Amino acid sequence: MKKTAEMGLFLALALILSYVESLLPLSFGIPGIKLGLPNLIVVLLLYQGDARQAGLVNFLRIMLSGFLFSNLYGILYALAGAVLSFMAMLLGKRTGWFSIVGVSVLGGVLHNIGQILVAMVVVETFYVGYYIPFLIAAGTVTGAVLGIVAMELVPYLRKVSLERGSEDTR
Amino acid sequence: MKIRKADIVLIVVCMLTAVLVFAVLLMHRHEGNVVRISSDGEVLAEIAFEVTGTQRYLIWRKDGSMTVESCGEDSPVPEQEAYNLLSVSDGVVRMEAADCRDQICVRHRAVSAAGESIICLPHKLVIEIMIGAGYEGLADEERMDNGITADDLQESTDEALDGVVE
């Protein structure tokens, strides 16, 4: 029961961040590049909870934000990006080499690559090579920044969870 | 939790890859002289352009099928249909206007080199720069890369221009 409530909270946070991102008129003139604010929540949940929780919240926030702020095509792009980036983050975490920052960078880069792959299929062109350097660079920067934010947040979240835990035992 | 050495290595490797790919692309850059307009994977027109002079093309759904129309300064922008207005000026191609929701294609920087493209995802429209017949230097090699022969190109350009109203 507590788990469900926590996941609902994380999902709500991810949706708020999706909304904030949809408000920002941020465009690099390149399809596929996003700030990836909601990914902050997914990374946090990957460390705070487990892979299943993070995956579920990730999937739900894409479906919900897709229907709220975009359309079916938007969902298709977002899903492709999210699946690739989630797999990369999961693998990155499993290796144990990286901290939350490295995992977030992997997520950012692979998210952008996934989006351009779908764009390639949808518009049936292979002339997207020119975008690749920008996609990698942008994914690295946004991933690193969000990763550092996540790293700073983790101790506070731990504290909140512990306090709540002691309340439960009372 | 602290940043680990592997994180820094990852970030540096990613940035280096980006710079490297960019450098390689820059070295293989050749100015194009043909613009190909395709929608949903279907080539609508391949138009050869000169390095001087301005041309504008209106791409919209006319009577149910996507059409490319050459237009002048005062472009007749359709009010109801989805449209894209492409301008070719002094060898540089850019999307002048469009009524797509994200406006990414309009904000896209102008393109001129072979292989560069402007994509309008909401309208499933792709503008590609290519190298066609009559180009000195690496034209043949480039064409082979693209899998297009001079004859193909001539043919399709002729066909495409049949539909273009001057």
Side-chain angles (χ1 to χ4, degrees):
Chain A
M1 225 24 218
K2 197 186 136 204
K3 223 176 191 177
T4 314
E6 254 179 21
M7 279 170 72
L9 191 71
F10 274 105
L11 182 57
L13 278 171
L15 279 177
I16 290 168
L17 290 179
S18 295
Y19 179 61
V20 170
E21 190 170 81
S22 76
L23 287 181
L24 295 174
L26 196 78
S27 162
F28 301 85
I30 294 174
I33 290 189
K34 267 188 189 168
L35 208 51
L37 286 177
N39 202 45
L40 177 64
I41 301 300
V42 178
V43 179
L44 273 176
L45 203 52
L46 206 56
Y47 276 81
Q48 220 25 52
D50 56 42
R52 265 184 46 230
Q53 280 178 294
L56 189 62
V57 166
N58 201 7
F59 177 74
L60 287 175
R61 65 106 183 161
I62 286 163
M63 297 311 277
L64 290 172
S65 70
F67 282 117
L68 284 171
F69 315 120
S70 124
N71 56 18
L72 271 175
Y73 272 107
I75 293 177
L76 187 69
Y77 296 130
L79 267 183
V83 167
L84 256 184
S85 110
F86 190 68
M87 304 276 260
M89 291 197 292
L90 215 56
L91 284 175
K93 193 181 173 235
R94 289 260 163 90
T95 60
W97 299 338
F98 309 110
S99 75
I100 199 164
V101 178
V103 169
S104 174
V105 168
L106 281 174
V109 173
L110 268 291
H111 173 267
N112 288 353
I113 302 277
Q115 297 239 310
I116 204 73
L117 287 179
V118 184
M120 260 165 79
V121 174
V122 169
V123 296
E124 290 177 47
T125 179
F126 298 97
Y127 290 106
V128 288
Y130 277 88
Y131 295 137
I132 290 172
F134 299 102
L135 290 171
I136 296 176
T140 309
V141 173
T142 56
V145 171
L146 287 176
I148 290 165
V149 173
M151 191 174 68
E152 296 299 322
L153 282 174
V154 163
Y156 294 100
L157 282 173
R158 290 250 161 85
K159 214 169 140 197
V160 171
S161 293
L162 279 179
E163 276 169 10
R164 218 189 295 143
S166 58
E167 262 170 51
D168 284 350
T169 50
R170 232 180 271 161
Chain B
M1 208 185 306
K2 270 183 128 175
I3 295 186
R4 291 194 205 157
K5 218 176 211 169
D7 298 330
I8 308 291
V9 172
L10 180 71
I11 292 170
V12 171
V13 166
C14 283
M15 287 317 237
L16 279 181
T17 313
V19 171
L20 207 71
V21 175
F22 187 66
V24 169
L25 288 172
L26 217 59
M27 275 191 281
H28 290 274
R29 189 187 157 94
H30 302 290
E31 294 297 310
N33 61 354
V34 170
V35 57
R36 174 197 268 181
I37 302 166
S38 34
S39 159
D40 214 354
E42 184 192 337
V43 177
L44 299 176
E46 280 181 4
I47 302 159
F49 57 86
E50 306 295 325
V51 279
T52 52
T54 302
Q55 260 303 336
R56 290 158 112 173
Y57 300 95
L58 182 68
I59 306 146
W60 61 303
R61 194 173 291 278
K62 187 187 186 184
D63 305 326
S65 61
M66 291 296 284
T67 45
V68 180
E69 274 178 27
S70 181
C71 58
E73 276 302 310
D74 43 306
S75 19
V77 169
E79 268 173 29
Q80 311 231 315
E81 303 289 337
Y83 75 93
N84 291 71
L85 185 64
L86 192 74
S87 96
V88 184
S89 184
D90 300 334
V92 174
V93 177
R94 67 192 182 88
M95 192 69 80
E96 208 162 287
D99 59 350
C100 59
R101 67 186 144 74
D102 60 12
Q103 295 287 303
I104 282 177
C105 58
V106 178
R107 263 176 293 185
H108 196 289
R109 75 199 152 80
V111 292
S112 62
E116 284 185 320
S117 57
I118 301 178
I119 298 172
C120 181
L121 276 181
H123 292 170
K124 288 193 181 179
L125 193 72
V126 182
I127 311 296
E128 290 161 276
I129 307 293
M130 293 162 49
I131 293 182
Y135 187 82
E136 317 98 67
L138 285 142
D140 285 336
E141 197 187 300
E142 285 283 338
R143 261 203 307 278
M144 267 154 61
D145 286 350
N146 293 342
I148 298 159
T149 65
D151 291 342
D152 279 353
L153 199 69
Q154 196 54 48
E155 214 171 89
S156 51
T157 309
D158 288 349
E159 270 172 31
L161 288 176
D162 282 346
V164 174
V165 188
E166 283 296 329

